[in-house]
Amino acid sequence: MSSLFRAMPKLKPLDAQVIVITGASSGIGLATARKAAEGGAAVVLAARDGQTLNRIADEIVAQGGRAVAIPTDVGDEQAVEMLADKAVEAFGRIDTWVNNAGIGAHGHPSELRTPDHERILKTDYWGTVFGSLAALRHFRKSGEAGAIINIGSVVSDLSVPLMTVHSATKHAVAAYTQSLRLEVLAEGDPVAVTLVKPSAVATPGPVDHSQSTGAYALRVDKGVAPELVAGAILTAAVRPIREVTVGSAGLIMFTGFARVLPELYERIAAAGAQKRKRAVPKPTEGNLYRPRDNGRTRGDMAVAGQSLYTQAQLHPQMTAAAVVGMAALGGVALALLSRRR
C-alpha cells in the first residue's frame, strides 16, 4: 500500500507498554519515568549515573510499579545496543523508546572548546541516532507497532545567544527525526516517529547541569514544569503525533517571527545577549564528563503554569469543540442581549 494511504500505527495503551527512557536520572526523563510507571507502564531507566538510577527504580517498585535500571552512556553505540537487549531480557519487548539524554554548555561559539563541543554532540545527537536505530531494529524484528520519541527543542527552529551547541544539536535532532520518519513511511514500518520540542523547562539542566565557559552562565528565570513535557511524551507513546511544542505560545510566536524576519530577529537577539548572562565565581564543568546532581526533576528556577498552547496540540478535537462551544455560548448571549434591547 502506498505511504500516502497507509494508516497510522496503532499503539498500545500506556498500562500495556514497556518504555525505554534515556536521561532518566533527572529532569524530563525522571518525570516521564515516574508518570509512565504511575500509568502502569514498565519502565527501563537509562543514564550514566547507575547509583541514582537504582534508587529511582527501587522507589518505583516500592510504589507498586515496574522498573529496571540499566546504566548507559548513550554516546556509546554498543552500550545503547546492550540497553535494548537488556530491556527485552527484563520485560520481553520494547513498545516505546524515548531519546531524552542531553548535556550542555553555555557560551559564544568562539569560547567553546572543541572536546566539549564533540562531547555534547556525541550525547545529544549521536545518542539520539543510536537510540533510534536500536529501537527501529527491535520493532522491525518483532513486527509489532512501536513509537520512537526524540526530544528536540524550540531551538530546533532558531538559534539563541549563548546556547550555541544546544541550538546546533537540536537542529540536527530535528533533521534526523524528520529523515527517519520518511524512511519509516517509505518502508511501511508500523512505527510512529515523534519530535517533542520543549521551550525552557524548569529542570536542573539549564543551570546546574550545563558547563559555563567563562565568568558567567546562562540566565534562565522561569520554565515550564517537566511534568508537562512528560505528559506530551506519554501522549505520543499511545497516539501517533508527528511533532509537538511544549511551552509558551509567545515563544512560539517569536520563533515564527525569526523565520519571517530573520535579520531583525538576529539584531534583537544579539542586543539582548547580555541580559541572558549571570555572573558565576568560576567556570564549571557541569555534567559533560561525569554525572552531577541527579535524582531531581526540577531545578531552582520558577515554574510556569499549564500551557494551553500545548494542550491544543495534544487534543485538537477537544480544543475545536471548546472553541465551537464558546462561540455558541457567545451567540446565545448576544441573542439574549439583542432581545433585551
Side-chain angles (χ1 to χ4, degrees), residues 125 145 234:
Y125 173 69
L234 296 180

Side-chain angles (χ1 to χ4, degrees), residues 22-211:
T22 70
S25 60
S26 68
I28 293 170
L30 177 54
T32 303
R34 286 174 172 164
K35 196 175 185 69
E38 289 170 2
V43 293
V44 179
L45 312 175
R48 292 173 297 172
D49 188 347
Q51 183 176 358
T52 299
L53 283 184
N54 286 326
R55 186 175 73 248
I56 295 167
D58 290 343
E59 290 172 357
I60 290 174
V61 171
Q63 294 171 2
R66 294 176 293 160
V68 62
I70 303 176
T72 307
D73 184 341
V74 298
D76 181 336
E77 185 172 13
Q78 289 186 334
V80 176
E81 291 174 355
M82 288 180 61
L83 169 62
D85 292 340
K86 290 181 179 179
V88 174
E89 288 176 9
F91 295 115
R93 66 182 190 280
I94 300 168
D95 299 297
T96 295
W97 188 294
V98 182
N99 288 306
N100 165 75
I103 54 179
H106 305 145
H108 296 296
S110 60
E111 298 172 332
L112 296 169
R113 298 191 317 120
T114 298
D116 299 339
H117 205 148
E118 291 177 339
R119 175 60 185 166
I120 297 168
L121 284 168
K122 193 73 172 176
T123 297
D124 292 22
Y125 173 69
W126 283 109
T128 298
V129 172
F130 297 153
S132 297
L133 293 177
L136 186 59
R137 280 192 290 268
H138 171 77
F139 295 143
R140 284 175 171 172
K141 182 178 179 180
S142 69
E144 296 186 359
I148 298 172
I149 303 173
N150 295 337
I151 309 304
S153 169
V154 291
V155 300
S156 293
D157 300 323
L158 77 167
S159 292
V160 177
L162 309 179
M163 299 181 69
T164 299
V165 192
H166 187 64
S167 297
T169 56
K170 294 306 182 181
H171 271 71
V173 165
Y176 181 80
T177 303
Q178 291 159 6
S179 295
L180 183 67
R181 188 183 298 114
L182 294 179
E183 178 183 341
V184 164
L185 286 169
E187 296 298 321
D189 298 309
V191 178
V193 180
T194 299
L195 179 67
V196 177
K197 300 190 299 184
S199 55
V201 186
T203 66
V207 178
D208 300 335
H209 285 178
S210 293
Q211 180 199 60

